Each structure stands twice: as C-alpha cells, then as structure tokens.
C-alpha cells in the first residue's frame, strides 16, 4: 500500500518542505494580522468620519460575502480566494475519509487488534473531551458566581437562531439510510466514517475475494495526495492571508467589544488546554517528551486557526502525524478521520462556557444538575458538530434547548454568541485538530505502532 501523503522526495526533502511550509504559513498569518489591523483602523476611521459609503465600496470590492443576500453586485476578491481554497480542500474530504478508513481496516488483519485500536481511540477521545469539559465547567462556574456573566449591555440583534434538534439524533444519523445522501454531503461525515468502517471490516473478512475496490481506494488516495500537495503548498499561504484579513475586516471591533468576559475567558481556557493540556497528555500517555510534538504540530494548529475547519485541516494533519510524528499509517488513517467527526475538545469547551454565559445573562441558576446536564450535552453535541466553520456556535442551540435555557433573553444572548464567536471558532479548530493528533500518538504508542526515532527527530 502506498503511504498516504508520501511524496517520494526523500526524508531530507520532506523536512525542508515541512519547514518551508511552516515559515510560509506563519508569515502569511503575521502579514494577515498586520494588514487586518490596518483594515480595522481604516474601517473605524471611515465610519466615524461619516464616510461609511466609501467603506461599503471597499468592502464590496474586497471582503463582501458574494453569496449573501444583497451582495449580488459585490466582487469580494478576498472572499473568493478564501472560499476557493477551502472548497478545494473540502472536495476531497469524503473520498479521503472513506478510502483512508477502508484501507486502514483492510490492513489490520488481526480482528482483535482492530477492536482494541477502536476501543483505545474512543477511550482517549472521551478522556480528553471530558477533561476539557471539566476544566471549562469549573472555570465557567467560578466566573458565573463572581458575576462576570451578568448585566451584559450589548447589541443582541445582529444574528438569528436556529431550530432545536435532539442531540441523540446523531446516533441514528450515523448509519445512513441512503449511501448517495451520505456521500453527497460534507455535513454527514460521521455517516461516511461508519460506512467506511463497515466496508473495511467486510473486506477484511473476505480477504482476496475483493481486489478491485481495494486497488481503487489505493489509487484514489494517491490522486488525493498529489492534489493536496498542490493546493496546500502552493496556494495555502495566499489563502491564509486572505482569510485572516477578511476576518478582521468583516467583524472589526464592534463585534469584539461585547461580552468581553466570555471572549477572554474562553480564549484563555482554549490556550491553556492547547499549549499545556495536550503536552501534558502526551507526556502522561506515552512517556515521551512533548517538545517534538509541540514543534511539529504547530503548523497544523496554525492552519486550523486560519481556516476554522477541521475538515479542511485534515490533509495536513494526516501528513504531519504520519511523516513527522511517526504514527503508522494504519493508525493515523483510522484515528484522525474519526477524530475529525467525534473528537471536538475545543468545541466542547466553547459550548460549556457559552452556555454558562447565557445562563448568567438570562438569569438562570447554576445547579449541580444543570452543570452535569450541560457537560453531558456538550459531549453529545460536540460529537455531532460538523467539521466546518461556525458549526459549533450553531450546534450550541441544541445544548440550550436540552438544558431548558430558552427564555427570550437567553435566545437573544445566543444570537450575540453567533455574532462574536468567529475569533473563538478559529482557536477552537486549532484545539480540535491538535487533540486528534495527540490521541493518534497515544494509540500508536500503546500499540507499538509509533516510530519513536521519527517522533523525536527534529532538525
């Protein structure tokens, strides 16, 4: 089987390519933030100087969402570049997830080992998510009791809500009733994961009776590899620059000023878990130094931050985890696509803090029962959150409905979350993708499927 994301350029060339990509992405992020701040300054200056019409012209030319109602004549250059890049990555999500999981299942000939890997993977996912939720709940309750989430005076008319859904529907939707529906919708990745697992297990049992489908999956993975090499390495930095600048231009300071306690608290917890939490997890679960992991996974976190999409970040995460962190392909090809759909530590943290914030604004008491309910629903809802930008804040409505926070003020505060949550969602994605890689390393180490020398090596 050809190694996924292996470019046959030699180990030294791969390292140089990886370093070069990291530098390019970091440079794109830095330049994007600088230009973005200048754009925010320009926006605020023009609006305060009664030149809002000029800003609207600039916005329509460079930043406007051309798919939104009322923007039929807008050009939105930065929006187009960013969307082309994200769509180019999204177009391979379904085939990549399906083929990687099928091939991973096929090449694990020991059925006991397959069951063991699955159990360990789910176990690590639940462990990291539970720890993240506990930390978020403790800090959130302290902030709630301190009055940090009360008397919020903000504009609550910027966004709209969404219809509530029973979070347990994800269990039913995990098994598709129509295979074409599952494969035709990136929001149904969990159904694709389950379908791929079932197909892989069946092929594993049939062995040599199935050969054409196996060969097809292998060739598709090679095509995806070449495609992603072009998209990520050649267009990634440009797209990241455009995405960051447009984020600053579109949201500005007016959406960052409200609910500053919620924003700061959530960002601090996310950074704490991202920087210290996963490093500690690597040390405790594998006994290895977390320093190589932190250094090598940095560009994945940066890419996730820029795109705000776990799905769009999956190709780079696969490549980094396999080639640089030493996880065997059969482990990474199973754990990472599964983690993209069910392991959402950052999303769970955001949803817990946001729910407690809404409770404080809407006047709901925080009891032990409500906290436990929030925690449980956060786990279930995070599993069902699509790996796409902004999905976490939308799924938040499921938790609010489940815990009974549904008075008018709660719903209004929820719309505030939708309006200001974009910067938080960017950091949430970084946490989600780094958590997937950390769990893959832990599973691989426990199975003797981790190249420790490759993991430690960093020039």
């Amino acid at each position: 089987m050809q190694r996924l994301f292996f470019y046959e350029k030699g180990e030294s060339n791969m390292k140089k390519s990886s370093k070069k990509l990291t530098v390019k992405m970091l440079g794109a992020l830095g330049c994007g933030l600088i230009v973005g701040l200048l754009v925010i300054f320009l926006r605020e200056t023009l609006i305060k100087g009664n030149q809002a019409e000029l800003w609207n012209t600039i916005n329509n030319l460079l930043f406007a969402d051309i798919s939104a109602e009322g923007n039929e004549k807008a050009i939105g250059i930065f929006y187009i570049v960013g969307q082309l890049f994200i769509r180019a990555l999204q177009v391979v999500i379904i085939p990549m997830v399906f083929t990687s999981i099928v091939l991973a299942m096929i090449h694990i000939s020991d059925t006991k080992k397959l069951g063991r890997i699955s159990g360990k993977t789910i176990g690590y996912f639940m462990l990291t998510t539970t720890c993240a939720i506990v930390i978020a709940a403790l800090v959130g309750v302290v902030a709630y009791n301190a009055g940090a989430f009360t008397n919020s005076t903000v504009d609550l008319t910027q966004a709209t809500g969404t219809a509530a859904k029973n979070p347990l529907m994800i269990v039913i939707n995990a098994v598709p009733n129509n295979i074409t529906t599952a494969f035709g919708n990136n929001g149904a990745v969990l159904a694709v994961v389950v379908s791929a697992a079932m197909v892989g297990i069946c092929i594993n049992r049939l062995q040599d009776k199935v050969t054409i489908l196996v060969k097809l999956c292998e060739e598709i993975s090679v095509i995806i590899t070449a495609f992603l090499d072009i998209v990520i390495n050649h267009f990634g930095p440009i797209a990241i620059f455009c995405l960051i600048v447009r984020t600053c231009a579109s949201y500005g300071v007016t959406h960052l000023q409200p609910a500053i306690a919620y924003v700061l608290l959530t960002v601090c917890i996310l950074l704490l878990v991202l920087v210290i939490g996963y490093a500690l997890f690597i040390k405790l679960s594998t006994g290895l130094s977390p320093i190589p992991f932190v250094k090598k996974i940095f560009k994945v976190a940066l890419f996730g931050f820029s795109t705000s999409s776990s799905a769009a970040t999956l190709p780079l995460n696969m490549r980094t985890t396999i080639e640089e962190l030493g996880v065997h392909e059969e482990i990474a090809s199973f754990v990472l696509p599964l983690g993209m759909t069910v392991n959402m530590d950052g999303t769970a943290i955001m949803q817990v803090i946001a729910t407690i914030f809404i409770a404080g604004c809407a006047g709901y008491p925080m009891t032990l029962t409500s906290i436990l309910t929030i925690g449980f629903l956060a786990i279930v809802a995070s599993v069902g959150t699509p790996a796409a930008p902004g999905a976490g804040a939308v799924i938040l409505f499921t938790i609010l409905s489940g815990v009974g926070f549904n008075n008018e003020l709660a719903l209004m505060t929820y719309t505030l979350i939708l309006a200001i949550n974009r910067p938080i969602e960017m950091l949430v994605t970084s946490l989600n993708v780094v958590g997937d890689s950390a769990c893959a390393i832990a599973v691989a180490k426990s199975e003797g499927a981790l190249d420790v020398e490759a993991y430690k090596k960093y020039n």
Side-chain angles (χ1 to χ4, degrees):
M1 176 181 174
Q2 295 195 27
R3 189 176 177 84
L4 188 64
F5 301 115
F6 182 69
Y7 298 94
E8 298 180 353
K9 296 178 182 177
E11 186 178 354
S12 61
N13 287 340
M14 283 193 299
K15 288 180 180 177
K16 290 179 181 178
S17 176
S18 175
K19 289 181 179 178
K20 199 175 293 184
L21 178 62
T22 303
V23 171
K24 287 181 179 178
M25 289 172 57
L26 190 58
L29 176 64
C31 292
L33 289 173
I34 292 172
V35 174
L37 291 174
L38 293 175
V39 170
I40 290 178
F41 176 76
L42 175 64
R43 168 182 171 163
E44 299 301 318
T45 301
L46 291 177
I47 292 176
K48 290 180 180 179
N50 296 321
Q51 293 181 293
E53 192 62 34
L54 177 58
W55 167 252
N56 288 335
T57 301
I58 296 173
N59 184 63
N60 287 335
L61 175 64
L62 298 177
F63 310 117
D65 178 355
I66 62 174
S67 67
E69 185 177 353
N71 287 342
E72 290 80 5
K73 296 182 179 180
I75 299 175
I77 297 173
F78 279 57
Y79 174 81
I80 292 174
V81 173
Q83 287 301 306
L84 287 175
F85 177 69
I86 291 177
R87 286 178 179 236
L89 294 174
Q90 290 176 334
V91 76
V92 298
I93 290 171
I94 297 299
M96 180 177 65
V97 169
F98 183 81
T99 56
S100 64
I101 291 181
V102 167
L103 293 173
M105 293 290 188
I106 292 172
H107 289 84
I108 302 177
S109 56
D110 186 348
T111 54
K112 290 184 178 179
K113 180 180 179 181
L114 178 58
R116 193 170 63 245
I117 290 174
S118 301
K120 289 179 179 179
T121 300
I122 298 299
Y124 280 125
F125 286 169
M126 290 298 101
L127 174 63
T128 57
T129 302
T130 301
C131 290
I133 287 176
V134 169
I135 293 172
L138 290 175
V139 176
V141 169
V142 170
Y144 174 93
N145 291 332
F149 292 157
T150 57
N151 299 323
S152 179
T153 56
V154 293
D155 180 8
L156 299 174
T157 61
Q158 298 285 336
T160 57
T162 184
K165 293 182 180 179
N166 191 318
L168 294 178
M169 279 300 295
I170 65 168
V171 178
I172 296 176
N173 293 333
V175 179
N177 60 2
N178 187 317
I179 196 68
T180 58
T181 301
F183 278 71
N185 179 13
N186 280 345
V189 176
L190 184 57
V192 176
V193 170
V194 173
S195 300
M198 292 189 292
V199 171
I201 291 172
C202 292
I203 295 177
N204 194 311
R205 297 183 66 178
L206 294 170
Q207 294 296 323
D208 295 336
K209 293 181 181 180
V210 180
T211 57
I212 296 177
L213 181 58
V214 175
K215 181 66 174 175
L216 179 62
C217 288
E218 290 177 347
E219 292 185 353
I220 288 175
S221 76
V222 174
I223 294 172
I224 291 172
T225 296
F227 175 79
L228 292 173
D229 184 27
I230 296 171
V231 172
I232 293 176
N233 286 289
H234 296 284
F235 298 107
I238 297 173
I240 286 173
F241 172 80
C242 292
L243 288 166
I244 294 297
V245 173
R246 183 182 176 272
T247 296
C248 294
S250 299
Y251 292 89
V253 296
T254 56
H255 284 162
L256 301 181
Q257 287 174 343
I260 191 169
Y262 161 72
V263 173
L264 290 180
L265 187 63
T266 306
V267 167
C268 288
I269 296 175
L270 290 171
L271 287 174
L272 176 68
V273 175
L274 179 65
V275 176
I276 300 176
Y278 289 122
L280 186 61
F281 172 77
I282 290 292
K283 181 64 177 178
L284 295 177
S285 63
T286 67
L288 298 171
S289 169
I291 295 177
F293 171 75
V294 173
K295 289 181 177 179
K296 295 176 183 180
I297 206 66
F298 174 74
K299 62 178 172 292
V300 176
L302 182 61
F303 195 88
F305 179 84
S306 303
T307 61
S308 258
S309 171
S310 298
T313 311
L314 179 61
L316 181 62
N317 203 6
M318 290 276 283
R319 173 181 169 184
T320 302
T321 302
I322 293 171
E323 295 181 354
E324 299 181 40
L325 292 170
V327 176
H328 288 194
E329 185 180 351
E330 66 178 18
I331 301 294
S333 297
F334 174 74
V335 176
L336 293 182
L338 183 61
M340 182 192 72
T341 61
V342 304
N343 187 40
M344 300 280 189
D345 299 344
T347 304
I349 290 173
M350 181 276 293
Q351 290 172 338
V352 168
I353 296 295
T355 304
I356 297 175
F357 165 69
I358 290 172
C361 289
Y364 286 100
M366 275 286 101
T367 64
L368 179 61
T369 301
S370 62
I371 293 171
L372 292 176
T373 303
I374 291 170
F376 171 75
L377 291 175
I379 292 176
V380 177
S382 65
V383 169
T385 302
V394 176
I395 300 297
L396 170 63
F397 196 81
T398 298
I399 300 178
L400 297 178
S401 300
V403 81
F405 295 169
N406 51 15
N407 66 20
E408 183 179 356
L409 189 54
L411 297 180
M412 292 176 66
T413 311
Y414 166 71
T415 65
L416 167 65
I417 297 294
L418 295 182
I420 67 174
N421 219 51
R422 174 64 176 178
I424 293 175
E425 288 279 0
M426 297 169 75
L427 190 55
V428 160
T429 306
S430 295
L431 211 70
N432 290 342
V433 296
V434 171
D436 295 342
S437 183
C439 288
I441 292 172
V443 172
K445 183 65 166 61
S446 68
E447 287 293 319
L450 179 69
D451 186 342
V452 177
E453 292 304 315
Y455 172 87
K456 293 179 178 179
K457 194 178 296 182
Y458 192 88
N459 296 327

